[in-house]
Amino acid sequence: ASDVYKRQLIYVLEHASQEAANASWQAFGQDPEWKTVSDASNANGPILAGVERRYMTATDYSPLK
């Protein structure tokens, strides 16, 4: 595997809608405890090159539909 893939952290989350996902991410980013942990983690420089959000759609035969 490429070194890029060895350095990725992937979360798989389910939301009721795109709007619910956006609201959830916004609330997470504003959480005071998360801000404290994030600030401590990045004290010696950023630990992330960026965040990429991707959305999946269930297939026609998926039990999710």
Side-chain angles (χ1 to χ4, degrees):
S2 139
D3 283 342
V4 171
Y5 295 112
K6 291 179 184 177
R7 295 176 289 162
Q8 287 185 339
L9 177 60
I10 300 172
Y11 290 96
V12 178
L13 306 171
E14 180 181 4
H15 295 92
S17 67
Q18 181 75 49
E19 293 78 20
N22 291 339
S24 178
W25 281 110
Q26 184 176 8
F28 175 71
Q30 294 176 353
D31 178 72
E33 184 177 0
W34 165 247
K35 286 183 177 185
T36 299
V37 170
S38 178
D39 289 347
S41 296
N42 291 294
N44 295 321
I47 62 171
L48 296 176
V51 174
E52 182 178 329
R53 290 168 47 183
R54 294 189 180 204
Y55 295 90
M56 299 183 287
T57 303
T59 60
D60 290 338
Y61 54 84
S62 172
L64 294 175
K65 285 203 167 191

